[in-house]
Amino acid sequence: MKKQYKIIDTHAHFGLASNKMIEKGIVEYGRRKKLLEDIDDLKQKVGFEKGIIEDDNSLEAYVQIMKKNGIEQSWLHQLSFGEELGYDILDNESIAIAIKKYPGLFKGFASVNPNSNNSLEELRYAIETLKLHAFKLNPNDYGGFWLNDKEKLYPLYDYCSQNNIPVSVHTGITPGTIFRMKHNYPILLDDVAVDFPNLKIIVEHMGYPWNDLCYYMVSRHKNMYVTITAVANILIHNNPRNFIVELSKMISIFGSEKILWGSDWTATPNIDEVLHYMKNLSVPIVMRKMMNLPKISENDIQNILYNNALNILPK
Ligand SMILES: [Zn+2]
């Protein structure tokens, strides 16, 4: 009988488009236009025609997607690139409200601006008052920052480490060509892992295209984990063979217990395709023998889709 997998999505966004920030002059029109075009390109790369889900990136639409795909729980992340996109809903309060509105369905990552002077107080407020569960950093946000910046980031890492709060970090890919990839270089997290050995660090997007470097870091640091978020969507849609090769590499280097799945909805909306592929994943024996790949078991898939989220992220 076919295995019924349980599923937790560790990475989803929501947000409502608004022109308010543009009207106020907060958003620069040219940068917004370029970024929206780049995001459209990404959506087309995973099989979605231009503009097809642009109209509904609401939380309610995502709840329906969760139901349809049997996703038991999802972790909400702040919508990145808020300053560029001009979205109204991009703060910790909105995530806290969403969690309250759907009891048990959502958990939340807090985000703060490391370039501001009160980032630590904001993080404390988000965790202790708003009751968000973990911390998210995207080094492209807030004008960009370096993940190993001792002055701006280390007090935040220290707080997380002391309080056993995992930090999820965007690395590698970025659709937006207005951003500079150097901030996404995953090796910056090696400094963080060395200086905060007890801090749980979740390396988003496999550090792709620096994925081999990333695998070595994950294998060398006990408290470092990796997600296949968004990269799985792109590879499964365009080149499933490469997806199998990368997944096999990770499982043989550090085991399936360190790998998490996230949809990255709304950026990569082909959730149905990815989950169907994962649930039915089987590597042809000829391919395994020729490429010396390990067998990927049902247990490995269940770890990636569900068990690891329960074990690694806060209850
Ligand atoms: Zn994301």
Side-chain angles (χ1 to χ4, degrees), residues 11-13 77-81 136 138 170 204-205 229-230 263-268:
H11 190 140
H13 303 268
H77 296 231
Q78 184 184 83
L79 188 76
S80 290
F81 321 134
K136 167 71 183 283
N138 184 331
H170 175 101
E204 292 284 353
H205 313 303
T229 301
S263 67
D264 215 354
W265 191 83
T266 64
T268 44

Side-chain angles (χ1 to χ4, degrees), residues 60-116:
E60 289 68 29
Y62 178 63
V63 170
Q64 293 309 315
I65 289 171
M66 286 176 73
K67 275 191 191 149
K68 189 175 150 215
N69 286 284
I71 298 170
E72 194 178 291
Q73 189 175 64
S74 288
W75 282 77
L76 297 175
H77 296 231
Q78 184 184 83
L79 188 76
S80 290
F81 321 134
E83 284 165 40
E84 282 79 12
L85 290 173
Y87 281 80
D88 262 353
I89 294 182
L90 51 90
D91 55 4
N92 297 324
E93 267 85 3
S94 310
I95 293 179
I97 290 167
I99 292 169
K100 279 207 188 86
K101 189 172 171 190
Y102 296 96
L105 205 56
F106 293 118
K107 295 218 170 157
F109 282 94
S111 288
V112 298
N113 176 1
N115 292 326
S116 86

